[in-house]
Amino acid sequence: VQLQASGGGLVQAGGSLRLSCVSSGWSFNTYASGWFRQAPGKEREFVAAMSRNGGSTLYSDSVKGRFTMSRDNAGKTVYLQLDSLKPEDTAVYYCAALPTFSTIRTYSRPNDYQYWGQGTQVTVSS
């Protein structure tokens, strides 16, 4: 099981990025997915989560209305669209996956997740 995150970069405040997380080695549609981020000196924090069927999403209050999570089960990929970026969004962004029997449940705690990608850096300049 491997997760490969990409799409990070340097962007000005107000700009956009699209993060991707490609998975391999397992039945992607049996896994719920999530995105987390970690800024220097801070704990890893929840950003967004999506159920295994893609029908349920959950966002942190700090990104709600600006970030959009989606998934392509056939392509074994989850995405995080980052719009209206702010300097405080600067962090390493991690994707995560969790095998689950529930098709609709979302998970927001890092300890819920079993598999993690390597992270992609997002830097927002003011």
Side-chain angles (χ1 to χ4, degrees):
V1 176
Q2 289 186 329
L3 300 174
Q4 182 71 38
S6 63
L10 173 63
V11 63
Q12 288 187 334
S16 298
L17 286 171
R18 190 191 196 199
L19 307 184
S20 300
C21 178
V22 181
S23 60
S24 62
W26 36 272
S27 299
F28 183 70
N29 60 2
T30 65
Y31 287 69
S33 299
W35 286 95
F36 294 79
R37 66 187 181 186
Q38 188 166 18
K42 295 187 177 181
E43 294 187 352
R44 189 168 299 190
E45 68 169 343
F46 169 73
V47 175
M50 179 168 276
S51 59
R52 58 178 267 190
N53 70 355
S56 301
T57 53
L58 180 68
Y59 298 95
S60 69
D61 288 342
S62 62
V63 308
K64 195 176 298 182
R66 300 188 297 120
F67 292 7
T68 305
M69 185 173 180
S70 60
R71 65 187 288 159
D72 173 5
N73 282 349
K76 297 184 177 181
T77 304
V78 293
Y79 303 95
L80 187 66
Q81 178 68 37
L82 288 62
D83 296 319
S84 302
L85 281 161
K86 304 175 181 180
E88 52 263 43
D89 294 318
T90 295
V92 177
Y93 284 70
Y94 297 90
C95 58
L98 163 71
T100 177
F101 290 110
S102 172
T103 59
I104 63 173
R105 185 177 172 184
T106 56
Y107 303 83
S108 61
R109 300 179 305 173
N111 287 345
D112 289 331
Y113 288 86
Q114 185 171 352
Y115 302 105
W116 291 84
Q118 86 288 3
T120 184
Q121 176 72 47
V122 172
T123 303
V124 184
S125 62
S126 58

